Amino acid sequence: MAKAAERPKSDDQTYGIAADRLRSLVERIERLEEERRALAGDIKDIYAEAKSAGFDVKVLRQIIRLRKQDQAEVEEQESLLDLYKRALGMA
């Protein structure tokens, strides 16, 4: 006689998944995504403040990107940019 499929012993486990652990992970991700949205809004406000103070936001974004990079990498990119500009008669 075939044995009936075993049921989870509690509502906390379904198909071998610990529901409490899964719920905890999902809620943590949701909280962090909400924080990320709030931070993105704050950053947008700062760029708007910079623009209203007369700063070029496009250049400001470039500065932020450059500050994240390794100095040697920045120097290499600037060197290549200069080389390309000279090759095109722009320098």
Side-chain angles (χ1 to χ4, degrees):
M1 181 174 227
K3 187 175 179 181
E6 288 187 33
R7 289 185 157 172
K9 295 183 180 182
S10 73
D11 289 337
D12 289 344
Q13 292 227 339
T14 305
Y15 303 107
I17 297 175
D20 287 341
R21 179 72 173 138
L22 178 59
R23 187 176 299 106
S24 171
L25 292 169
V26 169
E27 288 171 354
R28 286 170 49 202
I29 291 168
E30 288 172 340
R31 274 193 306 275
L32 290 172
E33 286 180 347
E34 181 60 36
E35 288 177 28
R36 180 173 37 189
R37 282 189 293 275
L39 288 172
D42 292 346
I43 291 169
K44 184 178 176 182
D45 292 344
I46 294 170
Y47 278 118
E49 180 182 341
K51 185 175 182 176
S52 70
F55 293 101
D56 186 315
V57 173
K58 188 185 252 185
V59 174
L60 190 57
R61 289 182 190 278
Q62 288 177 328
I63 293 294
I64 300 296
R65 185 175 35 84
L66 287 172
R67 288 174 51 110
K68 291 179 185 178
Q69 295 177 348
D70 178 57
Q71 185 61 34
E73 188 178 335
V74 171
E75 290 172 3
E76 181 182 348
Q77 287 180 358
E78 288 176 348
S79 208
L80 282 171
L81 178 61
D82 185 54
L83 176 67
Y84 290 2
K85 285 169 59 177
R86 282 187 276 129
L88 295 171
M90 297 172 64

